[in-house]
Amino acid sequence: MTTYNFSSGPAVLPRDVLLQVQQELTDWHGSGMSVMEMSHRGPEFTQIITEAEADLRAVLAIPANYKVLFLQGGAHFQFGMIPLNLTQPGDTVDYVNTGSWSKTAIKEAQRYANVNIVASSEDRNFSYVPDEAGWQRSANAKYLHYCSNETIGGVEFPFIPQSDVPLICDMSSNILSQPLDVSRYGLIYAGAQKNIGPSGMTIAIIREDLIGHARAEVPTMLNYKTHADASSLYNTPPSFAIYVAGLVFKWLQKNGGLDAMARHNATKAALVYDAIDGSGGFYRAPVSGACRSRMNVPFWLKDAALDAEFLQGAEAAGLVQLKGHRSVGGMRASIYNAMPLEGVQALVAYMADFARRHG
Ligand SMILES: *Cc1c(COP(=O)(O)O)cnc(C)c1O
């Protein structure tokens, strides 16, 4: 039986990539070494990281005036690095609050800067993206921060905000899911473990003019300039994670790039939302309309007493890690790039069958 993994992260990776990793695990390209065992300054790893960056630049069409940084510390580190690198004490920054991850980013930024919340969807339990026309921008913000896909709430921005100040985005859970105009942003960051590769690595794509303005007391490792100047090799990088991510970038290219991913993801998301909306109320989604996430689909059963049985039956059918986040309850199907169409088809067939048996 095939297992389909709906985890929100660390999440499913392309099977072809895992098989290649397995094949190369003890002997990378005839070197006699595993990537785990190589000097990060040797010729083999130099080739791996150079190709990974070049392939990511190609896939995302990253303009030449942006640096690509392979960092550690997860997206959480970025919550602090951003204000420490882009503000001085007393500065004001603008944040949009659309859910759990926005809130965590805001809380950390408040330790270093005056945070103005331009808009919040907390009034309706983070089930929508506030209309951009009503955002209350500050006159002197150093940047505008938002989270393009709230992994827990299942809310995704259907637009890129307009901004005269550098636009900063936490793209941890929807980067590489569709084509992107990188030039609209000052800084994009994403933890790898959703749509890129293994945990332990965070990618930052930063416009060059935003590098070199960190506060004097910022630790060396938390200064973007340190990593930009050293091409992500200031210290030992997460080498194995970079290697696997590089294979994922090649997999994306081989499978039609981000245009093909956008179609693939739209098809999968439509299948799941149609299954929910067409269930006659047996299943319900907390999010409606254009800001439904294509990556993370939270949904509730009409009777929460059936949750345990739903999960048990799903697991028996090879559909794993469907339990929703504790703050939302119910189920959550995360259907990132690497989730095959067959996995989503198996999920909606199971949902229909379960509803029939309990409706
Ligand atoms: C998972 C996630 C995070 C947290 O990532 P860590 O790597 O665990 O720090 C932050 N933001 C979003 C949108 C996420 O999905």
Side-chain angles (χ1 to χ4, degrees), residues 247-270:
L247 296 182
V248 171
F249 303 149
K250 289 190 191 300
W251 175 83
L252 286 169
Q253 288 174 305
K254 211 174 97 189
N255 287 279
L258 300 189
D259 285 313
M261 278 307 130
R263 288 193 297 273
H264 170 63
N265 291 324
T267 303
K268 290 184 295 178

Side-chain angles (χ1 to χ4, degrees), residues 45-70 176 196 201 203-206 208 227-233 241-247 249-250 253:
F45 190 73
T46 301
Q47 185 189 331
I48 288 169
I49 191 169
T50 305
E51 270 184 37
E53 179 178 340
D55 287 334
L56 178 60
R57 284 185 174 278
V59 167
L60 264 178
I62 299 174
N65 62 325
Y66 286 73
K67 293 281 191 206
V68 171
L69 308 178
F70 298 112
L176 299 175
I196 297 174
M201 176 178 67
I203 288 180
I205 301 165
I206 181 167
E208 282 169 352
H227 302 285
D229 288 352
S231 302
S232 303
L233 290 164
I242 291 169
Y243 154 68
V244 180
L247 296 182
F249 303 149
K250 289 190 191 300
Q253 288 174 305

Side-chain angles (χ1 to χ4, degrees), residues 8 73-77 79 101 147 149-151 170-173 189 191-194 201-202 336:
S8 60
H76 276 84
F77 245 177
F79 296 159
W101 291 118
C147 176
N149 185 66
E150 288 283 356
T151 320
D170 178 357
M171 240 176 244
S172 294
S173 52
Y189 63 99
Q193 68 273 22
K194 276 70 181 239
M201 176 178 67
T202 303
Y336 300 115

